[in-house]
Amino acid sequence: MSKPINLRAARKARARDAKRAQGDENAAKFGQTKAEKARNKSEQAAQVARLDSHKRDDR
């Protein structure tokens, strides 16, 4: 027979793990320095400009 588990403790541990995962996701998403944000913004603008320059002009 296996050892009984405390369901309350298991539920709290699962909630704690979920909060930690959400925090790690937020840190990756919003935890950027000002220089990284500026670089990402300029790279994105360059990609948009590149896509726009390849559009066909069908009038």
Side-chain angles (χ1 to χ4, degrees):
M1 190 165 177
S2 64
K3 181 181 174 187
I5 59 171
N6 186 340
L7 296 177
R8 178 177 43 94
R11 187 182 69 244
K12 286 184 176 183
R14 187 172 50 241
R16 213 175 10 254
D17 292 341
K19 281 193 175 211
R20 183 173 304 276
Q22 181 67 36
D24 291 343
E25 183 180 322
N26 285 344
K29 193 175 189 181
F30 299 109
Q32 298 177 348
T33 64
K34 195 172 191 176
E36 289 173 335
K37 287 180 189 177
R39 187 189 68 221
N40 290 341
K41 190 173 182 179
S42 67
E43 286 176 356
Q44 187 176 12
Q47 289 176 352
V48 168
R50 180 177 160 86
L51 275 175
D52 287 343
S53 69
H54 285 87
K55 287 185 179 176
R56 292 178 53 182
D57 193 23
D58 293 334
R59 291 186 191 193

